[in-house]
Coordinates of all heavy atoms in Angstrom, one line a residue:
M1340 N 5.3 -3.5 27.2 CA 4.2 -2.7 26.8 C 4.0 -2.9 25.3 O 2.9 -3.2 24.9 CB 4.6 -1.2 27.1 CG 3.4 -0.3 26.7 SD 3.9 1.4 27.2 CE 2.3 2.0 27.4
F1341 N 5.0 -2.7 24.5 CA 4.9 -2.9 23.0 C 5.9 -4.0 22.6 O 6.8 -3.7 21.9 CB 5.1 -1.6 22.3 CG 4.1 -0.5 22.5 CD1 4.5 0.6 23.3 CD2 2.9 -0.6 22.0 CE1 3.5 1.6 23.6 CE2 1.9 0.4 22.3 CZ 2.3 1.5 23.1
E1342 N 5.6 -5.2 23.0 CA 6.6 -6.3 22.7 C 6.7 -6.5 21.2 O 7.7 -7.0 20.7 CB 6.1 -7.6 23.4 CG 6.2 -7.6 24.9 CD 5.1 -6.9 25.6 OE1 4.0 -6.8 25.0 OE2 5.3 -6.4 26.7
W1343 N 5.7 -6.2 20.4 CA 5.7 -6.4 19.0 C 6.6 -5.5 18.2 O 7.0 -5.7 17.1 CB 4.3 -6.4 18.4 CG 3.6 -5.0 18.6 CD1 2.9 -4.6 19.7 CD2 3.7 -3.9 17.7 NE1 2.5 -3.3 19.5 CE2 2.9 -2.9 18.3 CE3 4.3 -3.7 16.5 CZ2 2.8 -1.6 17.7 CZ3 4.1 -2.4 15.9 CH2 3.4 -1.4 16.5
V1344 N 7.0 -4.4 18.9 CA 7.9 -3.4 18.3 C 9.3 -3.9 18.4 O 9.9 -4.1 19.5 CB 7.8 -2.0 18.9 CG1 8.8 -1.0 18.3 CG2 6.4 -1.5 18.8
T1345 N 9.9 -4.2 17.3 CA 11.3 -4.7 17.2 C 12.1 -3.7 16.3 O 11.5 -2.9 15.6 CB 11.4 -6.1 16.6 OG1 10.9 -6.0 15.2 CG2 10.5 -7.1 17.4
P1346 N 13.4 -3.8 16.3 CA 14.2 -3.0 15.4 C 13.7 -3.1 14.0 O 13.6 -2.2 13.2 CB 15.6 -3.4 15.6 CG 15.6 -3.9 17.0 CD 14.3 -4.6 17.2
K1347 N 13.4 -4.3 13.6 CA 12.9 -4.6 12.2 C 11.6 -3.9 11.9 O 11.4 -3.3 10.9 CB 12.9 -6.1 11.9 CG 12.3 -6.4 10.5 CD 13.3 -7.0 9.6 CE 12.7 -7.2 8.2 NZ 13.4 -8.2 7.5
T1348 N 10.6 -4.0 12.8 CA 9.3 -3.4 12.6 C 9.5 -1.9 12.6 O 8.8 -1.2 11.8 CB 8.3 -3.8 13.7 OG1 8.7 -3.4 15.0 CG2 7.9 -5.3 13.6
F1349 N 10.4 -1.4 13.4 CA 10.6 0.1 13.4 C 11.2 0.5 12.1 O 10.8 1.5 11.5 CB 11.5 0.5 14.6 CG 11.6 2.0 14.7 CD1 10.5 2.8 15.1 CD2 12.8 2.6 14.4 CE1 10.6 4.1 15.3 CE2 12.9 4.0 14.5 CZ 11.8 4.8 14.9
R1350 N 12.2 -0.2 11.6 CA 12.8 0.1 10.3 C 11.8 0.0 9.1 O 11.8 0.8 8.2 CB 14.0 -0.9 10.0 CG 15.2 -0.5 10.7 CD 16.3 -1.6 10.5 NE 16.8 -1.8 9.2 CZ 17.7 -1.1 8.6 NH1 18.3 -0.1 9.3 NH2 18.1 -1.3 7.4
K1351 N 10.9 -1.0 9.2 CA 9.9 -1.1 8.2 C 8.9 0.1 8.2 O 8.5 0.6 7.2 CB 9.1 -2.4 8.4 CG 9.9 -3.7 8.0 CD 9.1 -4.9 8.2 CE 8.7 -5.5 6.9 NZ 8.1 -6.8 7.0
T1352 N 8.6 0.5 9.4 CA 7.7 1.7 9.5 C 8.3 2.9 9.0 O 7.7 3.7 8.2 CB 7.3 1.9 11.0 OG1 6.6 0.7 11.5 CG2 6.4 3.1 11.2
V1353 N 9.6 3.1 9.3 CA 10.3 4.3 8.8 C 10.4 4.2 7.3 O 10.2 5.2 6.6 CB 11.7 4.4 9.5 CG1 12.6 5.4 8.8 CG2 11.6 4.7 11.0
A1354 N 10.8 3.1 6.8 CA 10.9 2.9 5.3 C 9.6 3.2 4.6 O 9.6 3.9 3.6 CB 11.4 1.5 5.0
T1355 N 8.5 2.7 5.1 CA 7.2 2.9 4.5 C 6.8 4.3 4.5 O 6.3 4.9 3.5 CB 6.1 2.0 5.2 OG1 6.5 0.6 5.1 CG2 4.8 2.2 4.6
I1356 N 7.0 5.0 5.6 CA 6.6 6.4 5.7 C 7.4 7.3 4.8 O 6.9 8.1 4.0 CB 6.7 6.9 7.2 CG1 5.6 6.3 8.1 CG2 6.6 8.5 7.2 CD1 5.8 6.5 9.5
L1357 N 8.7 7.0 4.8 CA 9.6 7.8 3.9 C 9.3 7.5 2.4 O 9.3 8.5 1.6 CB 11.1 7.5 4.2 CG 11.6 8.1 5.5 CD1 13.1 7.6 5.7 CD2 11.6 9.6 5.5
A1358 N 9.1 6.3 2.1 CA 8.8 5.9 0.7 C 7.5 6.6 0.2 O 7.4 7.1 -0.9 CB 8.7 4.4 0.5
D1359 N 6.5 6.6 1.1 CA 5.2 7.2 0.8 C 5.3 8.8 0.7 O 4.7 9.4 -0.2 CB 4.1 6.9 1.8 CG 3.7 5.5 1.8 OD1 4.0 4.8 0.8 OD2 3.0 5.0 2.7
E1360 N 6.0 9.4 1.6 CA 6.1 10.8 1.6 C 7.1 11.5 0.8 O 6.9 12.5 0.2 CB 6.3 11.3 3.1 CG 5.2 10.9 4.0 CD 3.9 11.6 3.8 OE1 3.9 12.8 3.4 OE2 2.8 10.9 3.9
I1361 N 8.3 10.8 0.6 CA 9.4 11.5 -0.1 C 9.8 10.6 -1.3 O 10.2 11.2 -2.3 CB 10.6 11.7 0.9 CG1 10.2 12.5 2.1 CG2 11.8 12.3 0.2 CD1 11.2 12.5 3.2
G1362 N 9.8 9.3 -1.2 CA 10.2 8.5 -2.3 C 11.0 7.3 -1.8 O 11.6 7.3 -0.7
M1363 N 11.1 6.3 -2.7 CA 11.8 5.1 -2.4 C 13.3 5.3 -2.2 O 14.0 4.7 -1.4 CB 11.6 4.0 -3.4 CG 12.0 2.7 -3.0 SD 11.0 2.0 -1.7 CE 9.4 1.8 -2.4
E1364 N 13.9 6.3 -3.0 CA 15.3 6.6 -2.9 C 15.7 7.1 -1.5 O 16.7 6.7 -0.9 CB 15.7 7.6 -3.9 CG 15.6 7.2 -5.4 CD 16.8 6.3 -5.8 OE1 17.8 6.4 -5.2 OE2 16.6 5.6 -6.8
A1365 N 14.8 8.0 -1.0 CA 15.1 8.5 0.4 C 15.0 7.4 1.4 O 15.8 7.4 2.4 CB 14.1 9.6 0.7
A1366 N 14.0 6.5 1.3 CA 13.9 5.4 2.2 C 15.1 4.5 2.2 O 15.7 4.1 3.2 CB 12.6 4.6 1.9
A1367 N 15.6 4.2 1.0 CA 16.8 3.3 0.8 C 18.0 4.0 1.4 O 18.8 3.3 2.1 CB 17.0 3.0 -0.6
E1368 N 18.1 5.3 1.2 CA 19.3 6.0 1.7 C 19.3 6.0 3.3 O 20.3 5.8 3.9 CB 19.3 7.4 1.2 CG 20.5 8.2 1.6 CD 20.5 9.6 0.9 OE1 20.1 9.7 -0.2 OE2 21.0 10.5 1.6
Q1369 N 18.1 6.3 3.8 CA 18.0 6.3 5.3 C 18.3 5.0 5.9 O 19.0 4.9 7.0 CB 16.5 6.7 5.7 CG 16.3 6.7 7.2 CD 17.1 7.9 7.9 OE1 17.3 8.9 7.3 NE2 17.6 7.6 9.1
L1370 N 17.9 3.9 5.3 CA 18.2 2.5 5.8 C 19.6 2.0 5.4 O 20.0 1.0 5.9 CB 17.1 1.5 5.3 CG 15.9 1.4 6.2 CD1 15.2 2.7 6.4 CD2 15.0 0.4 5.7
G1371 N 20.3 2.8 4.6 CA 21.7 2.4 4.2 C 21.7 1.3 3.2 O 22.7 0.6 3.1
H1372 N 20.7 1.2 2.4 CA 20.7 0.2 1.3 C 21.4 0.7 0.1 O 21.3 1.9 -0.2 CB 19.2 -0.2 1.0 CG 18.6 -0.9 2.1 ND1 17.2 -1.0 2.3 CD2 19.1 -1.6 3.2 CE1 16.9 -1.6 3.4 NE2 18.0 -2.1 3.9
T1373 N 22.0 -0.2 -0.7 CA 22.6 0.2 -1.9 C 21.7 0.3 -3.1 O 22.0 0.9 -4.1 CB 23.7 -0.9 -2.3 OG1 23.1 -2.1 -2.4 CG2 24.8 -0.9 -1.3
S1374 N 20.4 -0.2 -2.9 CA 19.4 -0.2 -3.9 C 18.1 0.0 -3.4 O 17.7 -0.6 -2.4 CB 19.5 -1.6 -4.7 OG 18.3 -1.7 -5.5
P1375 N 17.3 0.9 -4.0 CA 15.9 1.1 -3.6 C 15.1 -0.2 -3.7 O 14.1 -0.4 -3.0 CB 15.3 2.2 -4.5 CG 16.5 2.9 -5.0 CD 17.6 1.9 -5.0
E1376 N 15.5 -1.1 -4.6 CA 14.8 -2.4 -4.8 C 14.8 -3.2 -3.5 O 13.8 -3.9 -3.2 CB 15.4 -3.1 -6.0 CG 14.7 -4.4 -6.3 CD 13.2 -4.3 -6.6 OE1 12.8 -3.2 -7.1 OE2 12.5 -5.3 -6.5
I1377 N 15.9 -3.2 -2.8 CA 16.1 -4.0 -1.6 C 15.1 -3.4 -0.6 O 14.4 -4.1 0.1 CB 17.5 -3.9 -1.0 CG1 18.5 -4.6 -2.0 CG2 17.6 -4.4 0.4 CD1 19.9 -4.3 -1.6
T1378 N 15.0 -2.1 -0.5 CA 14.1 -1.4 0.4 C 12.6 -1.8 0.1 O 11.8 -2.1 1.0 CB 14.3 0.1 0.4 OG1 15.7 0.4 0.6 CG2 13.5 0.8 1.5
R1379 N 12.3 -1.6 -1.2 CA 10.9 -1.9 -1.6 C 10.5 -3.4 -1.3 O 9.5 -3.7 -0.8 CB 10.8 -1.7 -3.1 CG 9.3 -1.8 -3.6 CD 9.2 -2.0 -5.1 NE 9.9 -3.1 -5.6 CZ 9.4 -4.4 -5.5 NH1 8.3 -4.7 -4.9 NH2 10.1 -5.4 -6.0
R1380 N 11.4 -4.3 -1.6 CA 11.1 -5.7 -1.5 C 11.0 -6.2 -0.1 O 10.2 -7.0 0.3 CB 12.2 -6.5 -2.3 CG 11.8 -8.0 -2.4 CD 12.7 -8.8 -3.2 NE 13.3 -8.1 -4.3 CZ 14.6 -8.3 -4.7 NH1 15.4 -9.0 -4.0 NH2 15.1 -7.6 -5.7
H1381 N 11.9 -5.7 0.8 CA 12.0 -6.2 2.1 C 11.5 -5.3 3.3 O 11.3 -5.8 4.4 CB 13.4 -6.6 2.4 CG 14.0 -7.6 1.5 ND1 13.6 -9.0 1.6 CD2 14.8 -7.5 0.5 CE1 14.2 -9.6 0.6 NE2 15.0 -8.8 0.0
Y1382 N 11.3 -4.0 3.0 CA 11.0 -3.1 4.1 C 9.7 -2.3 3.9 O 9.0 -2.0 4.9 CB 12.2 -2.2 4.4 CG 13.3 -2.9 5.1 CD1 14.3 -3.5 4.3 CD2 13.4 -2.9 6.5 CE1 15.3 -4.1 5.0 CE2 14.4 -3.6 7.1 CZ 15.4 -4.2 6.3 OH 16.4 -4.8 7.0
V1383 N 9.4 -1.9 2.7 CA 8.2 -1.0 2.6 C 6.9 -1.9 2.5 O 6.8 -2.8 1.8 CB 8.3 -0.2 1.3 CG1 7.1 0.6 1.0 CG2 9.5 0.7 1.4
Q1384 N 6.0 -1.5 3.4 CA 4.7 -2.2 3.5 C 3.9 -2.0 2.2 O 3.7 -0.9 1.8 CB 3.9 -1.7 4.7 CG 2.6 -2.3 4.9 CD 2.7 -3.8 5.4 OE1 3.6 -4.1 6.2 NE2 1.9 -4.6 4.9
R1385 N 3.4 -3.1 1.6 CA 2.6 -3.0 0.4 C 1.2 -2.5 0.8 O 0.7 -2.7 1.9 CB 2.4 -4.4 -0.2 CG 3.6 -4.9 -0.8 CD 3.3 -6.2 -1.5 NE 4.6 -7.0 -1.6 CZ 4.6 -8.2 -1.8 NH1 3.6 -9.0 -1.8 NH2 5.8 -8.8 -1.9
K1386 N 0.6 -1.7 -0.1 CA -0.7 -1.2 0.1 C -1.7 -2.3 0.0 O -1.6 -3.2 -0.9 CB -1.0 -0.1 -0.9 CG 0.0 1.1 -0.9 CD -0.1 1.8 0.4 CE 0.9 2.9 0.4 NZ 1.6 3.0 1.7
K1387 N -2.7 -2.3 0.9 CA -3.7 -3.4 0.8 C -5.0 -2.9 0.2 O -6.0 -3.5 0.3 CB -3.9 -3.9 2.2 CG -2.7 -4.6 2.8 CD -2.9 -5.2 4.1 CE -1.6 -5.8 4.6 NZ -1.7 -6.4 5.9
I1388 N -4.9 -1.7 -0.4 CA -6.1 -1.2 -1.0 C -6.2 -1.7 -2.4 O -5.3 -1.7 -3.2 CB -6.0 0.4 -1.1 CG1 -5.8 0.9 0.3 CG2 -7.2 1.0 -1.8 CD1 -5.5 2.4 0.4
T1389 N -7.4 -2.2 -2.7 CA -7.7 -2.8 -4.0 C -9.0 -2.2 -4.5 O -9.7 -1.6 -3.8 CB -7.8 -4.3 -4.0 OG1 -8.9 -4.7 -3.2 CG2 -6.5 -5.0 -3.5
G1390 N -9.2 -2.4 -5.8 CA -10.5 -1.9 -6.3 C -11.7 -2.7 -5.8 O -11.5 -3.8 -5.3
D1391 N -12.9 -2.2 -5.9 CA -14.1 -2.9 -5.5 C -14.4 -3.9 -6.5 O -14.9 -3.6 -7.6 CB -15.2 -1.9 -5.3 CG -16.5 -2.5 -4.7 OD1 -16.5 -3.7 -4.5 OD2 -17.4 -1.8 -4.5
V1392 N -14.3 -5.2 -6.2 CA -14.5 -6.3 -7.2 C -15.7 -7.2 -6.6 O -15.8 -8.3 -7.1 CB -13.3 -7.1 -7.4 CG1 -12.2 -6.3 -8.1 CG2 -12.7 -7.7 -6.1
R1393 N -16.5 -6.7 -5.7 CA -17.5 -7.5 -5.1 C -18.5 -8.0 -6.2 O -19.0 -9.1 -6.1 CB -18.3 -6.7 -4.1 CG -17.6 -6.5 -2.8 CD -18.4 -5.6 -1.9 NE -18.3 -4.2 -2.4 CZ -19.1 -3.3 -2.1 NH1 -20.0 -3.4 -1.2 NH2 -19.0 -2.1 -2.6
H1394 N -18.8 -7.2 -7.2 CA -19.7 -7.6 -8.2 C -19.3 -8.8 -9.0 O -20.1 -9.7 -9.4 CB -20.0 -6.4 -9.2 CG -18.9 -6.1 -10.0 ND1 -17.8 -5.3 -9.5 CD2 -18.6 -6.3 -11.3 CE1 -16.9 -5.2 -10.5 NE2 -17.3 -5.8 -11.6
V1395 N -18.0 -9.0 -9.1 CA -17.4 -10.2 -9.7 C -17.4 -11.4 -8.8 O -17.9 -12.5 -9.1 CB -16.0 -9.9 -10.2 CG1 -15.4 -11.2 -10.8 CG2 -16.0 -8.8 -11.3
L1396 N -17.0 -11.1 -7.5 CA -17.0 -12.2 -6.5 C -18.3 -12.7 -6.1 O -18.5 -13.9 -5.8 CB -16.2 -11.7 -5.3 CG -14.7 -11.4 -5.5 CD1 -14.1 -10.8 -4.3 CD2 -13.9 -12.6 -6.1
D1397 N -19.3 -11.8 -6.2 CA -20.7 -12.2 -5.9 C -21.2 -13.3 -6.8 O -22.1 -14.1 -6.5 CB -21.7 -11.0 -6.0 CG -21.6 -10.2 -4.7 OD1 -21.1 -10.7 -3.7 OD2 -22.1 -9.0 -4.8
R1398 N -20.6 -13.5 -8.0 CA -21.0 -14.5 -8.9 C -20.6 -15.9 -8.4 O -21.1 -16.9 -8.9 CB -20.4 -14.3 -10.3 CG -21.1 -13.1 -11.0 CD -20.6 -13.1 -12.4 NE -19.6 -12.0 -12.5 CZ -18.8 -11.9 -13.5 NH1 -18.7 -12.7 -14.5 NH2 -17.9 -10.9 -13.5
L1399 N -19.7 -16.0 -7.5 CA -19.2 -17.2 -6.9 C -20.3 -17.9 -6.0 O -20.2 -19.1 -5.8 CB -17.9 -17.1 -6.2 CG -16.7 -16.6 -7.1 CD1 -15.5 -16.3 -6.2 CD2 -16.4 -17.6 -8.1
A1400 N -21.1 -17.1 -5.5 CA -22.1 -17.6 -4.5 C -23.5 -16.9 -4.7 O -23.5 -15.7 -5.0 CB -21.7 -17.4 -3.1
P1401 N -24.6 -17.6 -4.6 CA -25.8 -16.9 -4.8 C -26.1 -15.9 -3.7 O -25.6 -16.0 -2.6 CB -26.9 -18.0 -4.7 CG -26.2 -19.1 -4.0 CD -24.7 -19.0 -4.3
V1402 N -26.9 -14.9 -3.9 CA -27.2 -13.9 -2.9 C -28.1 -14.6 -1.9 O -29.0 -15.3 -2.2 CB -28.0 -12.7 -3.6 CG1 -28.5 -11.8 -2.5 CG2 -27.1 -12.0 -4.5
S1403 N -27.7 -14.4 -0.6 CA -28.4 -15.1 0.5 C -29.2 -14.0 1.3 O -28.5 -13.1 1.8 CB -27.4 -15.8 1.3 OG -28.0 -16.3 2.5
R1404 N -30.5 -14.2 1.4 CA -31.3 -13.2 2.2 C -31.1 -11.8 1.8 O -31.2 -10.9 2.6 CB -31.1 -13.4 3.6 CG -31.5 -14.8 4.2 CD -31.4 -14.8 5.7 NE -31.7 -16.1 6.1 CZ -31.4 -16.6 7.3 NH1 -30.7 -15.9 8.1 NH2 -31.7 -17.8 7.6
G1405 N -30.7 -11.6 0.5 CA -30.6 -10.2 0.1 C -29.2 -9.6 0.4 O -29.1 -8.4 0.1
Y1406 N -28.3 -10.3 0.9 CA -27.0 -9.7 1.3 C -26.0 -10.2 0.3 O -25.9 -11.4 -0.1 CB -26.6 -10.1 2.7 CG -27.4 -9.4 3.7 CD1 -28.5 -9.9 4.3 CD2 -27.0 -8.1 4.2 CE1 -29.3 -9.3 5.2 CE2 -27.7 -7.5 5.1 CZ -28.9 -8.0 5.6 OH -29.6 -7.3 6.6
S1407 N -25.1 -9.3 -0.1 CA -24.0 -9.7 -1.0 C -22.9 -10.4 -0.1 O -22.8 -10.1 1.0 CB -23.4 -8.4 -1.6 OG -22.1 -8.6 -2.1
V1408 N -22.1 -11.2 -0.8 CA -21.0 -11.9 -0.1 C -19.8 -10.9 0.1 O -18.9 -11.2 0.8 CB -20.5 -13.2 -0.7 CG1 -21.7 -14.2 -0.7 CG2 -20.1 -13.0 -2.1
G1409 N -19.8 -9.8 -0.7 CA -18.7 -8.9 -0.6 C -18.7 -8.1 0.7 O -19.7 -7.8 1.2
D1410 N -17.5 -7.9 1.2 CA -17.4 -7.2 2.4 C -17.3 -5.7 2.2 O -16.8 -5.2 1.2 CB -16.1 -7.6 3.1 CG -15.9 -7.0 4.5 OD1 -16.9 -6.6 5.1 OD2 -14.8 -7.0 5.0
T1411 N -17.9 -4.9 3.0 CA -17.8 -3.4 2.9 C -17.4 -2.9 4.2 O -17.3 -3.5 5.2 CB -19.2 -2.8 2.5 OG1 -20.1 -3.0 3.6 CG2 -19.8 -3.4 1.3
K1412 N -17.1 -1.6 4.2 CA -16.7 -0.9 5.5 C -17.8 -1.0 6.5 O -17.5 -1.0 7.7 CB -16.3 0.5 5.2 CG -15.1 0.7 4.3 CD -14.8 2.1 4.1 CE -13.7 2.3 3.1 NZ -13.5 3.6 2.7
N1413 N -19.0 -1.0 6.1 CA -20.1 -0.9 7.0 C -20.8 -2.2 7.2 O -22.0 -2.3 7.6 CB -21.1 0.2 6.6 CG -20.5 1.5 6.5 OD1 -19.7 1.9 7.4 ND2 -20.8 2.3 5.5
G1414 N -20.2 -3.3 6.8 CA -20.8 -4.6 7.0 C -21.3 -5.1 5.6 O -21.0 -4.5 4.6
P1415 N -22.1 -6.2 5.6 CA -22.6 -6.7 4.4 C -23.5 -5.7 3.6 O -24.1 -4.9 4.2 CB -23.4 -7.9 4.8 CG -23.0 -8.3 6.2 CD -22.5 -7.0 6.8
F1416 N -23.4 -5.8 2.3 CA -24.1 -4.9 1.5 C -25.5 -5.4 1.2 O -25.7 -6.6 0.8 CB -23.4 -4.8 0.1 CG -24.1 -4.0 -0.9 CD1 -24.2 -2.6 -0.8 CD2 -24.7 -4.6 -2.0 CE1 -24.8 -1.9 -1.7 CE2 -25.3 -3.8 -3.0 CZ -25.4 -2.5 -2.8
R1417 N -26.5 -4.6 1.5 CA -27.9 -5.1 1.3 C -28.4 -4.8 -0.1 O -28.3 -3.7 -0.6 CB -28.8 -4.3 2.3 CG -30.3 -4.6 2.2 CD -30.6 -5.9 3.0 NE -32.0 -6.0 3.1 CZ -32.6 -7.2 3.2 NH1 -31.9 -8.3 3.2 NH2 -33.9 -7.3 3.3
K1418 N -28.8 -5.9 -0.8 CA -29.3 -5.7 -2.1 C -30.7 -5.1 -2.1 O -31.3 -5.1 -1.0 CB -29.4 -7.1 -2.8 CG -28.1 -7.8 -3.0 CD -27.4 -7.3 -4.2 CE -26.2 -8.1 -4.5 NZ -25.4 -7.6 -5.6
S1419 N -31.1 -4.5 -3.2 CA -32.5 -3.9 -3.2 C -33.5 -5.0 -3.0 O -33.3 -6.2 -3.2 CB -32.7 -3.2 -4.5 OG -32.8 -4.2 -5.5
E1420 N -34.7 -4.6 -2.5 CA -35.8 -5.6 -2.3 C -36.1 -6.4 -3.5 O -36.6 -7.5 -3.4 CB -37.0 -4.8 -1.7 CG -36.8 -4.2 -0.3 CD -36.5 -5.3 0.7 OE1 -37.1 -6.4 0.7 OE2 -35.6 -5.1 1.6
E1421 N -36.0 -5.8 -4.7 CA -36.3 -6.5 -5.9 C -35.4 -7.7 -6.1 O -35.8 -8.7 -6.7 CB -36.2 -5.6 -7.1 CG -37.2 -4.5 -7.2 CD -36.6 -3.2 -6.4 OE1 -35.4 -3.0 -6.4 OE2 -37.5 -2.6 -5.7
A1422 N -34.2 -7.7 -5.6 CA -33.3 -8.8 -5.8 C -33.5 -9.9 -4.9 O -33.0 -11.0 -5.1 CB -31.8 -8.3 -5.6
I1423 N -34.3 -9.7 -3.8 CA -34.5 -10.8 -2.8 C -35.5 -11.8 -3.4 O -36.4 -11.6 -4.0 CB -35.0 -10.2 -1.5 CG1 -34.0 -9.3 -0.9 CG2 -35.4 -11.3 -0.5 CD1 -34.4 -8.5 0.3

């Protein structure tokens, strides 16, 4: 059913939740690590959230048909009619 769930993925999930909610020290303690750095480096999932940098990346390619090359949650960003 869930072949992708392994002991390691479960440990990573637990470590990430604990680090987010309580702190890295608690996650390291739960996993039995001697250092929170080990937990952070090998078990806690990094956040994939970054700032919106589309305006910078758009300079790499010309605007095509009024659409930005930057990705958004709702699909391509439509430039104003004046930019077309």
